[in-house]
Amino acid sequence: MGSPLRIVNGRVYDPANGVNGAVQDVCVRDGKIVADVPPDAKRIDAAGMVVMPGGIDIHCHIAGPKVNLARKVQPETHQDDVQLRTRLTRSGTGGTVPSTFATGYRYATLGYTTAMEAAVTPLGARHTLEEFHDTPVLDKGFFVLVGNNLLLYRLLQEGRREELRHALAWWLKVTKAYAPKLVNPGGDEMWKGQRNANITSLDDKIGSFDLTPRRVIAAFIEAGNELGLPHPVHIHCNNLGHSGNVETTLETMRLAEGRRAHIAHIQFHSYGAAAGKSQSNPTSRARDIIEYINTHPNISADVGAVMFGPATIMTGDAPLAYMLRRFGGNKWVNADTENESGCGIVPFRYQDRVYTNALQWAIGLELLLLSEDPWRMVFSTDHPNGGSFMSYPRLIRLLMDRGYRKEQMAHVNQKALDRSALRDCQEREYSLSEIAIITRAGPARLLGLTDKGHLGVGADADVTIYEEDEDKEKMFSAPRYVIKDGELIIEDHELRADHQGRLLHVAPDYDPQIEQVIEPFFEDFYTIRFANYPVDDRYVPNGQIIPTTPSVAAAPATAGTRT
Amino acid sequence: MGENLKVVRDATCTFCGCVCDDMHLTVDLDQKRIMKAENACILGKAWFREHGIEERPLALIGGRTATTEEAVEAAAQILAQARFPLIYGLSDTTCEAQRVAVAIADMIGGTVDTTTSVCHGPSGIAFEGVGESTASLGEIKNRADLVVFWGGNPAEAHPRLFSRYAVTPKGMFIPNGRKDRTVVLVDVRRTPSTPAADIFIQVKPRSDFEVLWALRALVKGRKVDPSIERRTGVSLAVLEDLVARMKSCRFGVFLFGMGLTMNRGRHFNSGALLALATDLNEFTHWVAKPVRGHGNVTGADNVVSWQTGFPFGVNFSRGYPRFNPGEFTSVDLLTRREADAALIIASDPADNFPKAAIEHLRRIPVITLDPKATPTTQLAQVAFTTATYGINVSGTVYRMDDVPITLRPAFESPYPSDEQVLTAIRDRVRALLGGNRLPAGAPVAAAS
Amino acid sequence: MAEIMTLIGGRSSKQGTTLCASKLGAAYAEISSTLEMNVEDMARLGLSNNSKVRLRTPAGEAILRCKGRETKDLPPGILFMTYGPLSSQLMAGDTAGSGMPISKNLDVEVEPVRDENGP
Amino acid sequence: MTLTLTLRTAPTVPLEADVLSPDRLSGVSALEAAKLTVVHGNQRADLGEFFQVGGAADGELHLTGDLAQVKQIGTGMARGRIVVHGSVGMHLGAGMTGGEIVVEGDAGDWVGPEMSGGRIVVKGNAGHMLGSARRGSQIGVRGGEIVVFGNAGNEVGNGMRRGLIAIGGDAGDFAGVNMLAGTIVVLGRLAWRAGAGMRRGSIISMHPAELLPTFSYACDYAPEFLRVCLRHVRGLGLTIADSHVNGRYQRWCGDGIELNRGEVLILDSAGTASRS
């Protein structure tokens, strides 16, 4: 937990508490922010520096089965980007999919202290937790894939909505997940069961099931809201990456009907099609998307910005990865998980001269620059899909420095800029406070993490101190100090300690009767025994349950809507 | 049979990569023996029955009985002093132990390699070149209507691959089980697996690559000369028939074995098969799976990968992980007489490595962790007796399809686990070195 | 007298069950020193079941006892043995940059051993 | 004046001496050179612990002794010359962009991986992955020349994109595998599966070779580029007969699985190529 600490003379950005650059002390003791510490407490003189809560990545891919496949398939990207061991810390390798130790240390060296792995198969939960064990510094959680789950489909198909909710709660709890995740609902069944087909609209029939993505999405939004999860259903919409997908995205958001829903990496879902042709090059429809979000407070999103350079497409959306494989050279990985999910991986490179890549870059910036509520349109690159998390400082500079942005716009494919509205939002520059919102306070609020993303008394003592610099990329690349749970992890830009972060997860109540429904399905269609499926506490040496606030009773289930 | 019996339900067999987790074990707690292993195959039955507690010393140093503590000290001294130590094995132990083994390699600046390098290591290299379309075993059970075994003998090495996962079981979209599937077996000889197949294709030894390459060409609609039969022993008609079946099935799977990896062509054989599966996805859904031998060799691949970025053959001598099969793999390090010490965990290279490699093992200080005496423990300077994973030790193992499973041990062992011994060694080495050994050099200048 | 044949190393279920008991016992030693050979090849070389044969490669040599297999099961010119201490004697250490020594389809010289004591 | 290094203490475990590159040693005295860091297994050592160093560096380096355990010599070198009077270990001239390395003896695996310029001459035999892409990488040699007087192992020129590899003796399996372009000349025997997966580029063999079923015979011809190429190779010291220079070659196109724009040229007098 480290010794008591007083940070003095720094300009504090704590938007959740209305602090906007005021010079004030921040005190830390026993891993928490406190009102005061004894006068002999260690002091950090933060004169000329900016003090913020630790960064929070609401959507990234850093651990678990697909991440490890993506690591393994790219040895050539590791060899030239290495993480040396020190007396205290472990070695590792980088590239767009770093090893676990490198992931933790590198996030920390950017001032991030919390990250959410955004797509884990339930069967892969144990694997993900094993990797988390070896991912230092960060507090972590993961979103569990439920949107292509065949048992849940069966319940939904039969109209057993209450049981669906209990089963969802069961799955969240036994996998130690943080939130439910939908990825391209219905797509996996088309992919695996229908000769590599895909979903093209919310009203497509899902393979042999009497279901549509529309029904699936609506049901999960409802169930998630009823369970009162700290973070609502996290949705990767259908048609990711396709020209004209904006209509699907808008339609998906409308399905929430005023209930909470989070749309993931929305940049990838904001494409128009020239003259209504779906096969044409995409155009930007960022305006329509952001206008909807600006006017619908129930909806939140992370941007999924793109940065030029190497990336790894790594997604539960297997048909998408298959489509992209012809752009990625020779390598393509596909991995199907029984009854639960699919997955695709393709090494990728965004190039500023390529029309589509430049358009994607522009849309990411557009969405952020047109956003009226930074609390609901937060920062991400869908690491490593839109680019590595190591590109965050450059993206922050693009938001904060219009001169730099203009200069960069001159280098990219101009036709793409013609089809975007980026030139119309040239004036806006993000303030430090707004950056603090989209990279920490906003994600914390959207995740329902009340002890994070702010520096009020009682908050987790996750603090980042940056040296002020005109060059915002430089400033955000290497904080002078990073404090995690009250411990000084980075001092004078260097790793000074190792630290094991926490697992953040939920444990919603469910009617135990639901196990009688789930177990027979396991007997028939899984290859792992029902008794061996739940992840036990040994995998969570340092866990924290974030409470839920259900709007309906968890148990006992009524006979309800069973048909 | 003693009075003190207990039944452990849903225990896991770690004999092979199938890692079946439906064992119901009847355990005699007085005798410390497993009397019955319901659902186990012939290999699993032997695995459970033969792993009683043997009367063996906790440790041997230079052949003399020692305490575990003394042996930890001796092992730590060897590892702290070595300049090019090799840590090898790890496929028959838990991920928890594997994790510590990699940590030791990192700390001392050694090399960590696993039995993968002499198993599906070539498939790992192939994966790095072309990727892979793969699936968990349940997808095969639920969906696969065309199952192709290539270069393996599951009837003898993985019996329940047939009965639990890939041939006879009924699945969601395979309601009639065996009847709904076509099974093809490709091998150089008839084996006890052959009768399980609808179609047996016998290829001439060392011609798998040519057969696979011809299939790729046919799948892509290219012409293949009938002379293919002279080289491979397989007629063009047979290949064309197979291609037609592969393109028209709904969900096809290749399950391939060491007939490809241990053979001339090695990683290119595996790569050709993985590429063929990729090509076939233009037409219908296809996956490919290397069939893995040891109970947790897949866990070793995963742990080494997430900790270092590379699956096996990883060297830390410069202070960061480097991967290069042929340079940092065990057979090479030993055959070239480079390793100056070896820590061997749950493996028996002295039984199956090439002669020249075994000879080098006799020259250098070797530390072993094994529940049983083996040719390798016999040549060791320091030999620990450890408890058997899955039977006495809990922890995590990964099935051949990367699905992690937690073990349910049957009874306690008087011997420590691999993880406990390795942790003690790690802590002692750390004390001797004053923390991790500092990197010996800067990264090698980028090669381009 | 010596002929060149192709040796396949592999595993068998009997080997698998035996190694669980002990790798130092007689049963394991017997299994790993048995060579399966085509019966016609055996006849030509004047071998019968349990005869001793010497296998030789550039890496080393080993003496095994042979066991006949019909042509439909094992084609002429192909030999099979399980991995173990004797197959190790025949394997070369060069892995051609793969980490994997060639352990299947080795070219071996096969030569009957005339043993004063044995058949 | 050149810098001379003579091995006097053999390393007990592999020695990584990427510092042995003319660019890095430019202007360095013998005394200074002896203090440069090499990596001996997992520990640092001074170059002088292993080598007797004399002269001064002016762009040329002479190494003497059995350096089979010494890896990474000439890594990333851009100019100057290294002469090895003896054999060398792995990764000779890794990623080099210019200059010349001459080895009087044998070289280990991975000679010139992903080099883009300069020349490596090995008078003895070379190991596997001569002029090859690193594992996982799609692109191998991007330029420059590698000449081996003796034999080379498997995967010669894996993923090669430009440049020339010439082998006086035999080449192992998968020569020119996944080649993108460039030229590989093998005067001895070409082993199995040459050119598997090649897209473009030329593999020249002076002996009959068994080709993959995805290679197809196109024509017999006497390509002008080959005459130029072979005369050049002759200039590099390999024995090229006039019958090679003036001969007709069978042109086999492949790999049919890929673009089919690569070629294997087989000297006609060598007899008909046999097809698998």
Side-chain angles (χ1 to χ4, degrees), chain A residues 209-230:
Chain A
F209 290 86
D210 183 19
L211 284 176
T212 61
R214 182 184 300 280
R215 269 185 77 192
V216 172
I217 296 164
F220 278 103
I221 290 174
E222 177 182 277
N225 277 273
E226 286 170 353
L227 289 173
L229 302 170

Side-chain angles (χ1 to χ4, degrees), chain A residues 281-546:
Chain A
N281 271 337
T283 60
S284 170
R285 292 284 297 277
R287 270 182 193 286
D288 304 78
I289 291 289
I290 202 65
E291 194 178 301
Y292 188 93
I293 293 175
N294 283 342
T295 54
H296 290 80
N298 62 311
I299 300 292
S300 61
D302 60 272
V303 67
V306 153
M307 193 61 231
F308 301 119
T312 301
I313 306 300
M314 182 200 290
T315 174
D317 191 341
L320 171 80
Y322 181 69
M323 185 186 85
L324 291 174
R325 85 195 185 291
R326 64 193 129 107
F327 305 108
N330 277 342
K331 302 183 195 185
W332 168 64
V333 177
N334 169 70
D336 309 329
T337 303
E338 61 209 62
N339 311 312
E340 295 180 350
S341 179
C343 159
I345 299 161
V346 179
F348 199 77
R349 175 174 286 274
Y350 293 96
Q351 300 170 63
D352 53 13
R353 303 285 167 183
V354 171
Y355 171 88
T356 305
N357 299 168
L359 185 84
Q360 292 173 306
W361 176 81
I363 293 174
L365 296 174
E366 263 184 84
L367 287 164
L368 287 165
L369 293 170
L370 294 170
S371 165
E372 288 169 10
D373 185 355
W375 294 91
R376 288 188 294 112
M377 172 58 81
V378 302
F379 190 78
S380 74
T381 62
D382 186 14
H383 159 84
N385 284 285
S388 160
F389 64 82
M390 297 301 280
S391 62
Y392 292 176
R394 177 161 300 171
L395 283 160
I396 288 172
R397 184 176 180 198
L398 284 165
L399 295 174
M400 296 191 74
D401 181 344
R402 63 184 166 224
Y404 175 70
R405 189 164 67 231
K406 213 177 237 174
E407 193 186 298
Q408 297 303 304
M409 283 165 65
H411 296 301
V412 312
N413 184 302
Q414 295 300 303
K415 275 193 185 137
L417 288 191
D418 295 344
R419 299 261 181 107
S420 85
L422 189 55
R423 292 202 186 96
D424 302 340
C425 28
Q426 280 186 12
E427 287 312 303
R428 183 162 179 196
E429 288 184 333
Y430 266 62
S431 66
L432 280 169
S433 182
E434 285 172 318
I435 292 295
I437 295 170
I438 63 170
T439 59
R440 7 301 265 156
R445 186 176 287 180
L446 297 180
L447 289 165
L449 291 168
T450 53
D451 293 345
K452 293 195 182 294
H454 71 99
L455 298 173
V457 170
D460 291 342
D462 301 346
V463 188
T464 304
I465 305 174
Y466 299 101
E467 288 166 318
E468 288 204 61
D469 198 309
E470 272 308 298
D471 180 342
K472 296 299 185 260
E473 181 178 353
K474 193 172 152 214
M475 172 174 168
F476 282 94
S477 291
R480 176 80 173 264
Y481 302 97
V482 176
I483 294 150
K484 177 77 192 71
D485 287 325
E487 197 176 344
L488 200 49
I489 302 295
I490 288 178
E491 189 172 8
D492 296 334
H493 309 292
E494 283 183 15
L495 279 169
R496 290 292 161 85
D498 212 342
H499 181 83
Q500 170 87 49
R502 288 192 291 271
L503 177 81
L504 310 170
H505 65 108
V506 297
D509 288 330
Y510 54 84
D511 177 1
Q513 292 289 320
I514 196 65
E515 296 191 353
Q516 318 273 323
V517 175
I518 299 171
E519 185 168 0
F521 185 88
F522 267 75
E523 297 291 322
D524 291 342
F525 304 126
Y526 271 90
T527 51
I528 172 171
R529 299 283 293 171
F530 181 71
N532 289 330
Y533 189 79
V535 177
D536 65 65
D537 287 339
R538 280 175 294 181
Y539 294 89
V540 188
N542 200 3
Q544 181 182 351
I545 295 174
I546 306 299

